[in-house]
Amino acid sequence: PEKVKAVTKANIPNGVIMYGIYGEKKDKVVLVRQYRYPIGGYVYEFPAGLVEPGEDMADAGIREMFEETGLTFSPVQSGSCSRPFFTTVGMTDESCGTVFGYCEGDPTNCNQEASEEIQVIIADRNECRRILKEENVALPCAYMLMHFIGSQGDPLEFLKSL
């Protein structure tokens, strides 16, 4: 109990989400399609994972992106977006940060844990539109896909204004 954020007032990230842009033209985004038992089906999400004790969010993002997708992830400075935000304040004190960056390499699932059932998806804007219209999507992913679809040029350009 002495470690809960209500007591410590410290917002240390529990997890990290990676918003990875892929391709020479920066016109694709890296997603995962993962089986989630609570809904009995697959959900589209951004690659994500836990931040290990003593690990910063960028290092966790690099590690988790490789583990889940096999891709090399190069984070970029993200100003005020580089801190953890609370996932919900109703039932948990969990907070996660988003690490923004660029991905390269060939996707693979050979680095995933045996308990994970994850498909790596490299999606262009048209596929993102379809996913939003037809598939189960995690809320943070849905918002960022809307941003991705509406962006022109480099989808991470907005970070320079923050």
Side-chain angles (χ1 to χ4, degrees):
E2 65 276 355
K3 293 182 181 181
V4 298
K5 293 172 185 169
V7 173
T8 67
K9 305 297 184 204
N11 187 6
I12 307 298
N14 304 93
V16 64
I17 300 166
M18 288 76 67
Y19 182 45
I21 301 302
Y22 187 88
E24 222 173 276
K25 297 179 183 178
K26 300 177 181 154
D27 59 346
K28 296 177 180 72
V29 66
V30 179
L31 303 170
V32 294
R33 182 177 176 260
Q34 187 164 198
Y35 188 83
R36 295 296 190 183
Y37 289 98
I39 66 163
Y42 289 88
V43 174
Y44 283 78
E45 305 169 285
F46 283 107
L50 297 175
V51 177
E52 301 292 335
E55 187 176 43
D56 70 28
M57 290 190 328
D59 289 339
I62 292 167
R63 176 183 53 76
E64 286 287 350
M65 181 68 82
F66 183 75
E67 288 174 4
E68 290 196 358
T69 70
L71 298 173
T72 300
F73 184 58
S74 300
V76 298
Q77 293 295 323
S78 55
S80 61
C81 292
S82 65
R83 66 186 190 93
F85 294 96
F86 292 102
T87 56
T88 179
V89 293
M91 299 298 290
T92 181
D93 70 349
E94 178 185 67
S95 64
C96 293
T98 303
V99 181
F100 300 84
Y102 302 100
C103 294
E104 58 185 13
D106 295 320
T108 180
N109 60 3
C110 68
N111 301 308
Q112 295 171 8
E113 295 177 18
S115 63
E116 295 178 312
E117 189 174 330
I118 301 173
Q119 179 185 5
V120 182
I121 307 291
I122 306 295
D124 62 15
R125 286 176 174 87
N126 286 333
E127 177 63 2
C128 290
R129 283 184 188 92
R130 186 200 68 76
I131 289 168
L132 284 172
K133 187 175 183 178
E134 299 174 9
E135 304 289 349
N136 293 323
V137 183
L139 184 62
C141 182
Y143 285 139
M144 293 306 292
L145 288 181
M146 292 174 205
H147 169 268
F148 175 72
I149 291 167
S151 66
Q152 294 181 0
D154 184 348
L156 301 183
E157 188 68 26
F158 79 99
L159 293 170
K160 293 179 182 175
S161 66
L162 300 174

